[in-house]
Amino acid sequence: MNETLFALATFLIFTLGVAYVSSRLTAKAQDQGAAGYFMAGRGLTGWFICGSMLLTNLSAEQLVGLNGQAYADNLSSMAWESTAALATIMLAMFFLPRYMKGGFTTLPEYLETRYDVTTRRIVSAMFIVGYTLVVNPVALYLGAISLDEVFNIHSMVGVGHEAMIWILVWLMGGVGAAYAVFGGLRAVAISDSINGVVLLIASLSVPILGLIALGDGSLSAGIQDLVNSQPEKLNAIGDENSRVPFGTLFTGMIFANMFYWCTNQATIQRTLAAKNLAEGQKGVLFTGFIKILVPLVMLLPGVIAFHLIGDSLEKPDLAYPALIKLVMPWWLLGFFVAAFFGTVISHFNSIVNSTATLFAMDWHRAFRPAASDAELIRVGKIVGTSLAVLSMIIAPLMMYAPDGIYLMIRRVTGFYNIPIIAIVLAGFFLPRVPGWAARWVLISHVIIYATFVIGLDIDKHLGINFVHIMGMLFVLHFSFLLIVGWLCPRAERTGIIDFSSKLGTENAPHLQPWRHARFTCALLLTLLFTMYLTFSPLGFASVSGPSIWYLSLLAALWSILVLYGVYEYRRSDPQLVTTI
């Protein structure tokens, strides 16, 4: 009983502390009108952008699900997380400068400028419906399930499992919605950043404690046991029978990650609110660094659980909860619950804020262009609250859905991610594509996807991984746009060069790029290749240990990085170039 009270007290201290700090730091944005509410006054710095992007992306069910996949298979599922670093490089160096030069508030706003207002409204509606009916309910439901499985909360408080799911969903949804509705984007970004630090500390403690337990009290002995015993579990190069075959990195996964990190409103809204381009690039690239390291906290504990527990668990998703119960000291339990809770509400409040922004800017302002800032904020709060409540009503009902809901929902998001990234890229690179072609891709994709992927399960019948199907659909859509732009071109050229040069910058933040951005991108790529080499048969996923090829390739990679760093240093320092 005393342990439970202590855990509850530490949970409340951390959770209320985050709320207090967020409210104090958000107060100054209340007088900045719609720009302050929806875009944090366009004053977010790199650290807040990084924290908010991470917590918008990470969720409690990822901790449970990815560790479960590592427990059952190997580290091949890290592809979804680590390769996101490539997408952050694309956002920082290509997409963000163009978005910020346009001074956009939403991605659909860019699509209206490039195509037409109908395309803008179709994409905005796709985002709003997808966020409200799919993304947020799933985040709340799976977050509640994960919290209850990991910490067995329903037994601690003496209520039934189903009742506990309803309580947790409405508790997390209510707190998350309060941040988004009453505090706006600044409150979301601040709370996300604080919760991100808490989550990082808490999640890093799990593999460390697990390795100590594996080594019978010795961290080094635990690492040695992990590397030497069944090293194939450390293999990140998945074959065709793996949950994530390595080949998918070069097909659909590229475009799925590009959509999420470069065009998804809930993600890019933080970067559009950057103080300037340099701060935006810092935040995005810092996020890339942490995404590369995510396997250490989202997959490695699953492998550790396999070594400590064996393959005795009925479901792989029980691996992370079992490891927590085995290695987590009772006095850290409240802190860890706070980290989980903060992760769920941060993910939820980010989506609610983006949904409110989409409705206010893409719909209400379109029909009432003279609407005041106060009216836009009021509409944003009403819509944000209403859609948050709708998501909270839907979320607990998912417990009555068939098994495999997590994979099903991931398939459902394919209704809009591939066509949106296709028309955005075509908007930049194909200056003659008309608006009707973009609308055709959006609408036809929904029909094709619903018929062949959701209805007929074509990927299962053909024995093709679902991610490959996503890549094929992207090629189909982009090819169609290319052909239309050639055969039925629009009269006015609006592409990567013309589009960027025509936009005024009077309302955009300062567009001077971060001076270290290019070297940071090179460092990110080097770390990504290093991660894959390390967790491959050339590295530690081999019975014989790291090979000479592993050491040689690592030496070559880092030597190239050093040479490039010297080049960038000389290039960025005119005085040094003059003296040389």
Side-chain angles (χ1 to χ4, degrees):
M1 185 64 180
N2 290 335
E3 294 179 3
T4 301
L5 290 175
F6 183 84
L8 178 62
T10 53
F11 164 75
L12 291 174
I13 289 172
F14 279 111
T15 304
L16 294 176
V18 172
Y20 175 76
V21 173
S22 298
S23 65
R24 294 283 294 180
L25 295 179
T26 304
K28 64 179 181 180
Q30 299 302 318
D31 299 326
Q32 294 180 358
Y37 182 79
F38 294 111
M39 299 299 290
R42 294 194 187 271
L44 293 182
T45 57
W47 293 113
F48 285 123
I49 292 170
C50 174
S52 191
M53 288 183 73
L54 279 173
L55 267 292
T56 301
N57 169 247
L58 300 179
S59 54
E61 70 270 13
Q62 279 179 283
L63 276 171
V64 174
L66 288 175
N67 277 298
Q69 291 181 19
Y71 170 85
D73 194 4
N74 51 30
L75 298 185
S76 59
S77 295
M78 86 178 206
W80 284 108
E81 302 300 319
S82 296
T83 56
L86 294 174
T88 62
I89 291 174
M90 297 176 197
L91 174 59
M93 305 305 292
F94 178 81
F95 289 89
L96 186 57
R98 289 161 178 80
Y99 290 154
M100 294 187 72
K101 190 170 185 179
F104 300 124
T105 301
T106 67
L107 176 82
E109 186 180 356
Y110 152 69
L111 293 175
E112 179 182 2
T113 306
R114 172 56 182 86
Y115 294 110
D116 51 44
V117 67
T118 306
T119 303
R120 173 181 184 173
R121 288 176 185 163
I122 291 174
V123 172
S124 182
M126 282 181 163
F127 277 135
I128 293 172
V129 172
Y131 290 163
T132 305
L133 302 184
V134 179
V135 178
N136 260 344
V138 169
L140 286 176
Y141 170 66
L142 293 180
I145 288 288
S146 301
L147 271 169
D148 197 41
E149 283 185 349
V150 171
F151 304 108
N152 200 24
I153 299 175
H154 71 277
S155 296
M156 293 172 60
V157 298
V159 300
H161 176 69
E162 292 187 8
M164 195 69 247
I165 297 302
W166 279 90
I167 293 170
L168 287 174
V169 162
W170 281 84
L171 178 62
M172 294 184 296
V175 174
Y179 275 110
V181 171
F182 296 111
L185 181 59
R186 186 181 295 274
V188 169
I190 292 171
S191 64
D192 285 355
S193 300
I194 299 172
N195 284 324
V197 173
V198 175
L199 175 66
L200 186 62
I201 296 171
S203 55
L204 279 175
S205 67
V206 176
I208 293 173
L209 292 170
L211 287 170
I212 292 173
L214 186 61
D216 293 325
S218 170
L219 178 62
S220 59
I223 294 174
Q224 194 169 13
D225 191 5
L226 182 74
V227 171
N228 294 331
S229 178
Q230 293 184 277
E232 65 275 7
K233 296 288 290 184
L234 298 177
N235 190 12
I237 311 297
D239 58 26
E240 285 303 314
N241 296 319
S242 298
R243 294 170 186 265
V244 183
F246 189 67
T248 59
L249 272 68
F250 310 101
T251 56
M253 191 172 295
I254 294 174
F255 305 112
N257 270 327
M258 283 181 65
F259 162 78
Y260 187 87
W261 293 99
C262 303
T263 64
N264 185 12
Q265 176 66 26
T267 304
I268 67 170
Q269 186 170 334
R270 287 97 189 90
T271 65
L272 300 180
K275 185 178 181 180
N276 50 49
L277 177 58
E279 291 296 324
Q281 289 178 323
K282 289 177 189 176
V284 171
L285 294 175
F286 291 163
T287 303
F289 278 111
I290 298 178
K291 289 300 290 182
I292 287 179
L293 299 177
V294 157
L296 297 178
V297 299
M298 288 200 170
L299 288 109
L300 198 59
V303 179
I304 295 172
F306 178 83
H307 285 282
L308 286 172
I309 303 169
D311 58 356
S312 59
L313 297 178
E314 294 181 8
K315 295 190 300 181
D317 285 351
L318 296 176
Y320 196 66
L323 183 64
I324 295 291
K325 294 173 185 176
L326 188 64
V327 304
M328 184 64 63
W330 65 269
W331 46 270
L332 273 180
L333 185 62
F335 176 75
F336 208 76
V337 173
F340 257 62
F341 186 85
T343 302
V344 178
I345 66 170
S346 289
H347 183 84
F348 184 77
N349 65 27
S350 296
I351 305 297
V352 171
N353 175 260
S354 294
T355 306
T357 303
L358 286 165
F359 187 89
M361 298 300 178
D362 292 337
W363 293 91
H364 187 77
R365 193 167 65 174
F367 292 102
R368 287 183 56 84
S372 65
D373 280 8
E375 182 179 340
L376 287 173
I377 293 172
R378 184 174 65 255
V379 168
K381 289 182 176 181
I382 293 172
V383 170
T385 302
S386 302
L387 296 183
V389 170
L390 178 59
S391 294
M392 288 186 282
I393 292 172
I394 295 171
L397 301 178
M398 291 186 175
M399 74 176 76
Y400 307 111
D403 292 338
I405 188 172
Y406 182 73
L407 291 177
M408 182 194 74
I409 295 302
R410 287 179 70 88
R411 290 165 66 89
V412 168
T413 57
F415 271 110
Y416 55 87
N417 58 2
I418 293 300
I420 289 177
I421 189 62
I423 65 172
V424 170
L425 288 176
F428 284 124
F429 289 105
L430 304 178
R432 294 294 195 183
V433 175
W436 68 263
R439 298 194 299 275
W440 177 265
V441 165
L442 292 169
I443 296 171
S444 64
H445 175 86
V446 172
I447 298 172
I448 294 171
Y449 195 86
T451 302
F452 291 100
V453 179
I454 301 298
L456 299 178
D457 286 330
I458 189 171
D459 54 321
K460 297 178 181 177
H461 290 302
L462 296 179
I464 302 174
N465 189 277
F466 169 68
V467 183
H468 289 313
I469 299 292
M470 294 169 65
M472 294 176 189
L473 288 173
F474 174 85
V475 172
L476 175 67
H477 298 325
F478 200 81
S479 299
F480 171 78
L481 294 168
L482 181 64
I483 293 171
V484 169
W486 179 44
L487 297 178
C488 308
R490 61 185 292 170
E492 181 185 1
R493 290 177 59 88
T494 309
I496 181 173
I497 298 175
D498 305 85
F499 178 72
S500 297
S501 62
K502 286 184 179 181
L503 292 172
T505 60
E506 62 273 8
N507 295 320
H510 186 50
L511 297 176
Q512 184 67 30
W514 183 34
R515 61 178 297 194
H516 301 300
R518 298 207 299 184
F519 176 75
T520 305
C521 291
L523 179 57
L524 266 175
L525 289 173
T526 304
L527 287 171
L528 178 60
F529 292 141
T530 299
M531 181 73 77
Y532 265 98
L533 280 173
T534 301
F535 296 112
S536 75
L538 292 177
F540 289 94
S542 171
V543 176
S544 57
S547 67
I548 188 64
W549 282 105
Y550 168 73
L551 299 175
S552 301
L553 288 171
L554 274 191
L557 273 174
W558 288 91
S559 297
I560 293 171
L561 178 68
V562 170
L563 291 174
Y564 181 71
V566 172
Y567 165 76
E568 278 293 316
Y569 177 69
R570 290 180 174 178
R571 178 180 169 275
S572 63
D573 192 337
Q575 292 183 346
L576 181 61
V577 173
T578 303
T579 57
I580 292 177

